[in-house]
Amino acid sequence: MARHVAGIVAGIIRDRGRQGQRAVLGLPTGNTPVGVYDELVRMHREEGLDFSHVVAFVLNEFYGVQPDQLQSHHRWIKEHLLDHVNIPAGQMHIPDGTVPLAAVEEHCRGFETKIEQAGGIDVLLLGIGANGHIGSNEPFPGTTGRTRLCTLDPITRRALASDFYGEWNVPTQAITMGLGTIYGARKVLLLAIGDHKAKIIREVAEGPVSPRVPASYLQNHSDATILVDSSAGSELTFSKTPWAVANVEWSEALIKRAILWLCEQTGKSLLKLDDDDFRNHNLHQLLRHHGPAPKVAHEVFQQLMGTIQYHPAGKKAQKVICFSPHPDDDVISMGGTLIRLVDDGHEVHIAYMTSGNIAVFDHDAARVADLVTEYNRLFGIDQERSKLVEGTVFDSLARKHAGDPDIEAVQKIKALIRWGEAKAGAFKVGCREEHLHFLDLPFYRTGTIAKKPVSTEDVRLIRDLLEKVDPYQVYVAGDLSDPHGTHRVCAQAIFRAVAEHEREHGNRPEVLLYRGAWQEYALHEIEIAVPLSPGDLLKKRKAIFMHQSQKDEALFPGSDPREFWQRAEDRNRGTADGFNRLGLPEYYALEAFVRWNGVGLG
């Protein structure tokens, strides 16, 4: 998608250049367009794409944020694009979030005047919020509004919490192009990536035009296109129920999907479906070519039964690695399976890929600094050095402003907190200390939310672990549609390391993907389902409880108010309930996995 969109933008830049004209771009910031900018930078560097005749307007900026602040759109667009291409400084326009309140209206009029003087926007890129906002145009905006100061919706501020180290630090206002400005662009490309965008994309593309969903107004634009990955498009009719819009080739996977959908529509279990259920839900073609109903339903029943595996790595003792992007992903996402693997006699290794230090509250770091100082005083251990470090930490935290990164000493203390919790959680599921590996991958070591791209050093560290352990099976966080999140970056590094291993050795371990705390695989996607007993789930809960810095109130909890252990249990119980509704054996809880097919992100 990034290459496709960058190709469109580059085509407009080149076309305008051939005509001796300037190309006028409207540019967003955020996770979604990162790949587009990476590709444009590559085209400039390797193909000579000339940006000297480009005029660009950034979509919005937080009000009250300084241009050099970490969260500033000024800084973001500079680091991701301007520092790497030859757009002249005078041709780059970004709303100024520092203008006095009395001067904001005049500033916004001036921004609009510059767009008019440039000849209007040729192509405008957009991301979309979970509530349907585009730019900072929150639900119920004016449809003809121009660049203005607006108030951010609580949903938007919650989504931005991680960027600002807490929702309470997120600005309440932003300067944004209005819907009238956006609608005036000659071409609009709306981009969306990830499962969390699927529902709003369905509303934008298939729902009515409504002020409740600002992006839906693009339905009336003469040249607006929505571009999504498979996850963001998963709720669209042609993706969710393709048989409802056209004739399809009935593959085994599509048959499985359709039959499970039919069970959901009818409220019936698999073996209770009859021919009339197929006919009443427009599945005549499936019935005609693969029926009758009992036959095709029984085939799907057997497929699902085949996914249930009490011994996911087999009964013969093997070496297994669970790669955990953050220090708690292992027990949250597959703690029950880790218990099962240990009980089956496998040598279970856990590789913690990042420190997770940015997700620790300042007060926890201060508490540990004070605790260690008192510990050293109690036992007569280097008290002078301890007091010096404690003073440095307390002084740094006292001077710290909202959204500032921590000094190195605080980062180390926060990493130590997560390290100790990870060990305690791993011990609770039965792992041994010598089988715990803290990789601390370089891409994460920025002290901020923004991370560096995966490097050869990241891949080498993972490759070294694969060579050392030589696992039969590895488990990887499979949230692959997250455009810039830690899970996706870690998966990219692992897949590259596995691919290198395979090229050298001619084989690779079996790679199973698990989901994180927020989502589960759909029933038709699940390839391995590991049953958990009430005792397994209780032990898993206790392992999650070892992560005290993330319990009760996490620094970056997401939009879900439940604690991580509650999300994990509800998800595992929910998967089991889904199997039960289909008429399969009734399990207390299930953890789900899919197999990596060796394609993608390598």
Side-chain angles (χ1 to χ4, degrees):
M1 187 178 78
R3 285 193 295 269
H4 177 74
V5 173
I8 293 173
V9 174
I12 290 172
I13 293 173
R14 288 173 175 139
D15 183 60
R16 292 291 187 272
R18 283 191 292 269
Q19 298 175 41
Q21 300 174 349
R22 296 187 296 183
V24 185
L25 310 181
L27 302 176
T29 60
N31 292 338
T32 303
V34 167
V36 177
Y37 297 141
D38 287 347
E39 179 65 9
L40 288 172
V41 169
R42 186 201 65 78
M43 295 170 82
H44 171 70
R45 184 178 63 248
E46 299 178 9
E47 300 175 11
L49 180 62
D50 184 12
F51 285 80
S52 63
H53 298 291
V54 166
V55 180
F57 294 87
V58 172
L59 197 63
N60 54 354
E61 177 61 285
F62 297 113
Y63 188 66
V65 169
Q66 297 296 319
D68 61 348
Q69 197 169 321
L70 280 174
Q71 300 82 2
S72 165
H73 293 182
H74 280 76
R75 178 167 176 167
W76 194 99
I77 201 72
K78 182 175 183 293
E79 292 178 351
H80 287 85
L81 183 66
L82 298 185
D83 285 349
H84 312 286
V85 298
N86 60 328
I87 300 178
Q91 293 169 204
M92 190 73 207
H93 307 287
I94 309 171
D96 186 353
T98 66
V99 296
L101 192 59
V104 167
E105 191 172 336
E106 181 181 353
H107 173 69
C108 292
R109 283 199 301 268
F111 193 79
E112 286 288 332
T113 299
K114 291 173 183 176
I115 294 176
E116 293 174 13
Q117 291 172 343
I121 296 173
D122 291 313
V123 58
L124 174 65
L125 307 185
L126 294 173
I128 183 171
N131 61 357
H133 76 237
I134 46 178
S136 295
N137 294 282
E138 304 290 4
F140 300 97
T143 58
T144 60
R146 297 291 172 174
T147 301
R148 72 194 193 286
L149 181 67
C150 67
T151 300
L152 298 181
D153 188 85
I155 292 175
T156 299
R157 295 185 69 238
R158 196 172 303 125
L160 291 166
S162 60
D163 291 344
F164 285 86
Y165 300 90
E167 185 179 342
W168 50 88
N169 296 324
V170 180
T172 58
Q173 294 178 299
I175 296 176
T176 183
M177 291 185 192
L179 287 188
T181 311
I182 291 171
Y183 207 80
R186 284 180 276 277
K187 177 186 284 292
V188 176
L189 302 176
L190 174 65
L191 319 180
I193 299 174
D195 300 274
H196 61 298
K197 298 294 178 69
K199 290 183 179 179
I200 195 64
I201 286 295
R202 181 188 61 201
E203 290 194 55
V204 170
E206 298 183 352
V209 174
S210 167
R212 185 180 64 81
V213 183
S216 66
Y217 285 102
L218 294 176
Q219 291 183 25
N220 297 326
H221 192 281
S222 60
D223 189 1
T225 304
I226 299 174
L227 299 106
V228 297
D229 71 343
S230 58
S231 296
S234 61
E235 290 291 326
L236 295 170
T237 299
F238 77 87
S239 177
K240 192 170 185 178
T241 55
W243 51 85
V245 294
N247 289 331
V248 296
E249 292 292 330
W250 286 106
S251 65
E252 184 177 288
L254 193 58
I255 291 172
K256 182 179 180 181
R257 227 169 119 186
I259 298 297
L260 298 187
W261 172 84
L262 185 58
C263 288
E264 182 182 353
Q265 300 303 305
T266 61
K268 290 184 175 182
S269 61
L270 280 164
L271 301 184
K272 291 182 180 180
L273 293 173
D274 58 37
D275 287 1
D276 284 342
D277 294 321
F278 284 72
R279 298 188 187 100
N280 293 336
H281 291 84
N282 299 314
L283 289 173
H284 304 76
Q285 184 191 22
L286 174 56
L287 186 65
R288 186 181 314 119
H289 293 292
H290 297 276
K295 170 182 174 292
V296 66
H298 189 266
E299 289 172 354
V300 173
F301 180 87
Q302 291 298 328
Q303 290 175 29
L304 287 176
M305 285 295 295
T307 67
I308 300 169
Q309 296 188 22
Y310 283 90
H311 309 286
K315 296 182 179 180
K316 178 183 176 182
Q318 303 283 0
K319 293 180 180 179
V320 173
I321 301 177
C322 166
F323 285 99
S324 183
H326 300 98
D328 55 359
D329 286 318
D330 55 335
V331 292
I332 290 174
S333 301
M334 55 171 291
T337 300
L338 290 170
I339 294 166
R340 183 62 43 75
L341 292 167
V342 171
D343 288 347
D344 283 346
H346 300 298
E347 185 180 300
V348 179
H349 294 252
I350 302 178
Y352 299 99
M353 305 183 73
T354 69
S355 68
N357 58 359
I358 63 170
V360 177
F361 286 104
D362 290 344
H363 61 76
D364 281 330
R367 178 177 56 82
V368 168
D370 181 60
L371 174 68
V372 172
T373 300
E374 288 303 307
Y375 176 93
N376 287 350
R377 183 190 63 78
L378 186 63
F379 293 101
I381 304 171
D382 196 5
Q383 298 172 57
E384 187 173 327
R385 178 63 179 164
S386 298
K387 289 179 180 178
L388 178 61
V389 172
E390 182 186 24
T392 301
V393 167
F394 275 66
D395 181 64
S396 167
L397 295 179
R399 295 171 179 271
K400 183 179 175 182
H401 296 100
D404 285 349
D406 290 316
I407 63 171
E408 185 179 5
V410 175
Q411 289 183 40
K412 286 182 176 179
I413 291 173
K414 290 183 175 182
L416 182 63
I417 291 171
R418 299 301 305 271
W419 173 76
E421 293 172 345
K423 287 177 64 176
F427 294 163
K428 187 62 70 173
V429 297
C431 292
R432 298 167 59 176
E433 183 168 8
E434 62 266 31
H435 296 155
L436 304 181
H437 310 273
F438 294 87
L439 303 184
D440 194 21
L441 295 183
F443 86 87
Y444 191 87
R445 300 178 205 160
T446 62
T448 70
I449 301 297
K451 304 304 175 191
K452 293 180 285 189
V454 168
S455 68
T456 54
E457 178 63 11
D458 293 305
V459 177
R460 185 191 65 77
L461 289 168
I462 297 168
R463 176 77 186 279
D464 288 348
L465 181 62
L466 291 174
E467 296 291 336
K468 175 183 175 182
V469 176
D470 189 24
Y472 165 77
Q473 194 178 63
V474 301
Y475 292 82
V476 179
D479 301 321
L480 305 185
S481 61
D482 178 4
H484 196 55
T486 300
H487 284 203
R488 184 184 187 277
V489 177
C490 287
Q492 182 182 6
I494 296 167
F495 294 158
R496 283 175 55 181
V498 170
E500 289 181 8
H501 180 88
E502 184 174 16
R503 283 194 294 271
E504 181 171 329
H505 297 281
N507 59 72
R508 60 178 170 87
E510 180 182 39
V511 179
L512 301 182
L513 308 181
Y514 63 83
R515 280 286 174 90
W518 285 270
Q519 290 142 348
E520 182 59 282
Y521 289 111
L523 294 182
H524 69 268
E525 297 176 306
I526 295 173
E527 295 181 69
I528 294 175
V530 179
L532 307 182
S533 69
D536 293 333
L537 208 58
L538 179 59
K539 186 182 286 189
K540 173 177 176 174
R541 182 194 301 179
K542 290 180 177 179
I544 297 172
F545 281 179
M546 294 298 102
H547 293 270
Q548 286 292 312
S549 70
Q550 307 302 300
K551 195 182 177 303
D552 299 327
E553 183 185 9
L555 186 55
F556 305 134
S559 58
D560 192 326
R562 295 172 298 169
E563 290 189 41
F564 289 124
W565 69 270
Q566 292 172 315
R567 302 179 205 183
E569 290 191 12
D570 289 348
R571 191 182 71 177
N572 297 157
R573 296 288 299 274
T575 303
D577 288 344
F579 271 53
N580 180 42
R581 287 194 300 271
L582 295 172
L584 275 72
E586 187 171 355
Y587 294 102
Y588 187 75
L590 292 167
E591 287 182 338
F593 304 88
V594 302
R595 293 182 177 89
W596 180 53
N597 60 6
V599 178
L601 293 182

